Amino acid sequence: MVYKTLYGLIFALLTVVPVIAHAEIYRDLSFIPQYDNIKFDIGGSDINNNSCPGSPVTYFLDSNGYRVLSWQSTLGTTVRSNALQCDRNPIALELVDIAPFYNSSTRIYHYYSDTGSGGSITTVYEDINGTVVYGTNFPIATSTTFIDSSGVKMSRFTVNADSYSGLEYAIRGYKLGNRQSTYALIVTNENLDYIDTLSELYALIDSLSGSEIPGQGNTQISYTTNTRFTGLDITGTSSVAISAGHFLDSTEIDSTVPALNPTIVRYSYANRNDDSGNFSNVGEVISPYTLDDISTTTTVLNASFLDDGVYDLAVGFYNNNAVFSGVVPFPDSYIYSSFEIASGTLIAVGTPEFYSASETENPRYLDCSITNITNCFINALTFVFIPSDNTLNRFLSLRNTLENTIPFGYFIQVYDGILGINLDESDYLIENMPFQDTIFTPLKTGIATGLWVIFAFILYRRFKSLEF
Amino acid sequence: MIADIIINIVYGFVLLILSLLSILGTPTLPAGLLTSLDSIGGTLKTVENILPIATILVILVADLAIELAIFSYRAIKWTYTKVPGIN
């Protein structure tokens, strides 16, 4: 029994998870334009980042005859002072636009920082006309935190091989050749933050030159968060009370970095007749700060101060320490609704629309109350038998460890190598073969079908002969 | 909760074995092999009109993954049986 469970888990880990992971990467980065303007070789053995001389756009030959791109670490932190595992293969930089962190409502990537210094980052966002803008450098504080694709927050200084899966989705960056695990992240126009997950090393490439190809900035990878809004009530007449229920998931709230968590529920409203773009904000502090349960905040508006008309209302999370306007925690979780004021009185309320990545995709816990005991039982069973995302995500990071361990690493390197074979380009392509449609295409289909049948048969025999 | 505990035990066990194996060093394939895989695509493309190269590659990768899973299972099973008190 133990063996079978072990085998099932290992099988899933080594086959299904990597395949899904690769599918994710390929699916979401498939639109990315090739960027081969910059090509460089990193050769030879490991290079200590403090000893690489010269400018990155120049090369020198190492003792093996490989061209070496020189680079240096300028941020020199604990993590970044490690050497970069150099690659013997020529590496083409491919500009990638990692869009999951782009949010269409806030028009900015999910990047957080408090005040401070210690470098800069190019934050990529769209302006009001939908034009991709980058080159705006914000300071990176020591408490800078990125949020990965599953919503997990990570400090700049805790970025490591285990967090690459988040970082590779985090911001625009360069994917290096066909090495799916190696990414260079844009820091400034001239600097790249470089992460190599094969070697678990992390460094900064300085003064890289070359022009950038603008990214598309319009493809999103949805990720789920359980932190969300759960209800909205708008009541009253001359005094309009707006109450929003919310749920803060303890696994998504990083209590060690309070500046990054929701501390305020912000109610924003604007009169549709007002074309100036102005809107009003009221923030209600979340207090008490209850986790893993539904809580409510309420704000009260005096309708006599409001002009007549229909008001659009957006309710979202905010942080009272947020330093960038528009950057909010859990921006995918918000409520939209409307209400109408006439002669200083609330006369109509719109149907609220709840937006949450998790609400429709993967609600972990259902609303539980005395009138809905069934959901409480379901929640109890969920708590007991459904593993948390954090637990499952640890297995994704285990792949990196496997990758660096003999003998598994050999398998994985060949596996990655085969996956990286590019069939799109050839200098010797035969474009139009005679009888292609009548003979060769059906023949090819037949061979493919036969191969799958043979593979299934071999697989059956293989598993049949296994001893558990 | 129960599922978390079981999965974490398995994770810890696998991690322990991998940590022990890490003393063997970092696996590095000959550069020529990786380079050849890098450049073989262009050659394979030439016969793709006739042979289902993409299918062959997918089957190859799937087979490799399955063999790796079986190998890992056997390695972990072998290690598991070496734990004192377990037959």
Side-chain angles (χ1 to χ4, degrees), chain B residues 18-42:
Chain B
L18 294 180
S19 302
L20 294 174
L21 287 174
S22 66
I23 60 173
L24 297 175
T26 306
T28 308
L29 286 173
L33 178 62
L34 294 176
T35 308
S36 65
L37 284 174
D38 247 1
S39 55
I40 201 172

Side-chain angles (χ1 to χ4, degrees), chain A residues 28-301:
Chain A
D28 294 308
L29 303 184
S30 58
F31 67 96
I32 294 162
Q34 289 289 327
Y35 187 69
D36 55 6
N37 188 30
I38 302 174
K39 273 190 177 178
F40 58 87
D41 298 348
I42 299 177
S45 57
D46 295 358
I47 300 172
N48 184 288
N49 59 353
N50 294 317
S51 64
C52 293
S55 163
V57 293
T58 60
Y59 306 110
F60 67 91
L61 297 179
D62 70 4
S63 57
N64 297 314
Y66 289 98
R67 288 187 299 178
V68 174
L69 173 76
S70 59
W71 51 281
Q72 64 183 45
S73 170
T74 58
L75 291 185
T77 67
T78 305
V79 176
R80 294 157 195 261
S81 62
N82 291 319
L84 178 69
Q85 176 77 40
C86 299
D87 193 302
R88 289 170 179 270
N89 302 315
I91 293 175
L93 284 182
E94 176 185 337
L95 182 64
V96 298
D97 193 326
I98 303 163
F101 280 55
Y102 175 76
N103 179 273
S104 58
S105 61
T106 60
R107 293 185 179 279
I108 198 164
Y109 284 90
H110 301 180
Y111 159 72
Y112 296 94
S113 174
D114 63 10
T115 54
S117 60
S120 58
I121 191 166
T122 299
T123 300
V124 184
Y125 61 96
E126 279 187 351
D127 63 17
I128 198 165
N129 299 314
T131 306
V132 176
V133 176
Y134 35 84
T136 306
N137 298 326
F138 294 111
I140 296 180
T142 53
S143 58
T144 295
T145 300
F146 296 93
I147 297 184
D148 72 8
S149 54
S150 62
V152 175
K153 301 181 186 71
M154 65 192 78
S155 160
R156 191 186 89 185
F157 293 105
T158 59
V159 168
N160 55 32
D162 291 333
S163 54
Y164 87 94
S165 59
L167 268 181
E168 72 183 19
Y169 291 131
I171 53 176
R172 287 173 71 242
Y174 289 99
K175 179 185 173 192
L176 302 186
N178 62 2
R179 296 187 56 171
Q180 299 147 17
S181 54
T182 307
Y183 289 84
L185 307 176
I186 294 174
V187 176
T188 71
N189 284 340
E190 293 187 339
N191 296 338
L192 292 176
D193 234 354
Y194 191 103
I195 190 163
D196 186 289
T197 58
L198 286 177
S199 57
E200 300 186 13
L201 298 176
Y202 184 46
L204 184 77
I205 297 178
D206 186 35
S207 304
L208 186 71
S209 67
S211 58
E212 293 182 350
I213 296 176
Q216 300 303 310
N218 54 6
T219 300
Q220 284 188 276
I221 302 170
S222 64
Y223 63 91
T224 60
T225 57
N226 197 39
T227 296
R228 66 195 190 280
F229 286 95
T230 57
L232 181 74
D233 285 319
I234 305 176
T235 56
T237 50
S238 59
S239 178
V240 181
I242 307 174
S243 299
H246 64 264
F247 182 94
L248 303 178
D249 190 316
S250 60
T251 62
E252 298 165 355
I253 302 296
D254 184 355
S255 59
T256 60
V257 193
L260 306 174
N261 293 320
T263 56
I264 287 175
V265 172
R266 189 168 62 172
Y267 298 80
S268 306
Y269 56 95
N271 193 319
R272 282 186 195 171
N273 297 326
D274 183 354
D275 294 330
S276 67
N278 295 330
F279 61 92
S280 302
N281 275 325
V282 182
E284 299 294 340
V285 175
I286 300 173
S287 178
Y289 205 76
T290 307
L291 300 177
D292 297 332
D293 200 1
I294 294 174
S295 302
T296 302
T297 58
T298 301
T299 192
V300 179
L301 308 179

Side-chain angles (χ1 to χ4, degrees), chain A residues 3 7 10 14 89 178 383-385 388 391 394-395 408 413 415 422-423 426 430 436 444 452 459 462, chain B residues 1-4 7-8 11 21 27 35 38 41-42 45-46 48-49 55 61 66-67 71-73 76 81:
Chain A
Y3 290 149
Y7 180 75
I10 293 168
L14 295 175
N89 302 315
N178 62 2
F383 174 71
V384 173
F385 291 113
S388 68
T391 301
R394 294 173 73 183
F395 280 89
F408 307 102
Q413 284 180 31
Y415 176 93
N422 183 4
L423 289 174
S426 173
I430 305 170
Q436 180 67 49
K444 190 175 152 184
W452 278 116
L459 206 61
R462 188 80 177 91
Chain B
M1 186 183 181
I2 291 174
D4 277 329
I7 290 174
N8 279 325
Y11 175 82
L21 287 174
T35 308
D38 247 1
K45 179 72 177 173
T46 58
E48 210 201 7
N49 283 346
T55 305
V61 165
I66 289 166
E67 288 302 326
F71 177 79
S72 306
Y73 162 67
I76 290 169
T81 56

